[in-house]
Each structure stands twice: as C-alpha cells, then as structure tokens.
Amino acid sequence: QVQPVESGGGSAQAGGSLRLSCGVSGYDYPPYCIGWARQAPGKEREGVAVIDNDGRKVYAASVKGRFTISRVNTKNKVSLYLQMNNLAPEDTGLYSCAAKICPHDLDVGLADLLEFNDWGQGTQVTVSS
C-alpha cells in the first residue's frame, strides 16, 4: 500500500489561483492512475480530475477550462499537480489525492477515481468572494 501526501492548499480570493501537489512513492516506474477529489462541508466527495497511466485526463464539468492536472513520473515516485485558476467560492473544500495501480490502455473516469485504493489526508482549499 502506498500513501499519497498532498501539499499546497490554502486560501485565495475569487478569481485567484492555487497549485496543489501530491507525491506517491512505493513502486519502481509507478504504474498508477492518479487524481484529485474534493469534499465540501455537508457534501459528498466528488471527483475533480484524474489522469491515467497513459496520460489521458478527465475533468469534472465544473472545473474544465479552469483546472489543469499534470503528473511527473520518476523511477520511484509520481508527482501529481493540480493548477487551479479563476477560483470560485464553490471550489472550497478538502482536496485529496488518490492513486491506484492500473495497466496501460485502461480508460479511467471520475467515478473510478472515487473507488481508488490509496488516499492522502487531504489539503484544505478555501476561496472567499
């Protein structure tokens, strides 16, 4: 089992930007699908963005065009990023990184993301109007 570790949350004004980071290690040439989910107070966790083992990306409709997910693979670690631009108060929540071992040529969606095995503790994002 691996433990994703997030960083980079904080506070921003509406229209501002934040960049989240997540590190996942534990395997040589990590065969991960990896992504971000968020949970606002009183709401269920929702998938934000996911990137599969071939680099294909899927975004929630609410963040498409504003958020960008990216990953950097090294021999022993995957670094995952979420660049969040034009933030809105509705983006407020606890953002968590999740990872799962997955093969190439596997289409992964946001619903799959919510079933991933390994989750980080999360990092809080607060956007004020």
Side-chain angles (χ1 to χ4, degrees):
Q1 188 173 5
V2 299
Q3 178 67 57
V5 178
E6 305 97 338
S7 61
S11 299
Q13 297 279 338
S17 298
L18 287 171
R19 180 178 168 89
L20 305 183
S21 300
C22 174
V24 183
S25 58
Y27 290 89
D28 288 347
Y29 300 104
Y32 296 127
C33 293
I34 189 166
W36 294 95
R38 67 186 180 190
Q39 187 166 21
K43 295 188 176 181
E44 292 187 356
R45 180 183 280 174
E46 63 172 348
V48 174
V50 63
I51 184 167
D52 70 14
N53 214 1
D54 298 300
R56 287 185 293 258
K57 306 171 185 179
V58 178
Y59 293 95
S62 60
V63 307
K64 202 167 186 179
R66 300 188 297 122
F67 291 10
T68 302
I69 189 171
S70 60
R71 65 187 286 173
V72 176
N73 292 350
T74 58
K75 183 178 186 294
N76 295 313
K77 183 178 178 180
V78 174
S79 297
L80 180 72
Y81 304 98
L82 187 68
Q83 178 66 43
M84 305 186 294
N85 297 330
N86 194 20
L87 284 161
E90 308 86 80
D91 296 318
T92 294
L94 183 68
Y95 283 70
S96 300
C97 173
K100 178 181 178 180
I101 303 287
C102 67
H104 292 279
D105 298 322
L106 177 69
D107 287 330
V108 175
L110 296 178
D112 302 306
L113 168 65
L114 299 180
E115 302 295 326
F116 280 12
N117 308 97
D118 302 310
W119 289 83
Q121 296 294 313
T123 184
Q124 180 67 34
V125 171
T126 303
V127 184
S128 56
S129 57

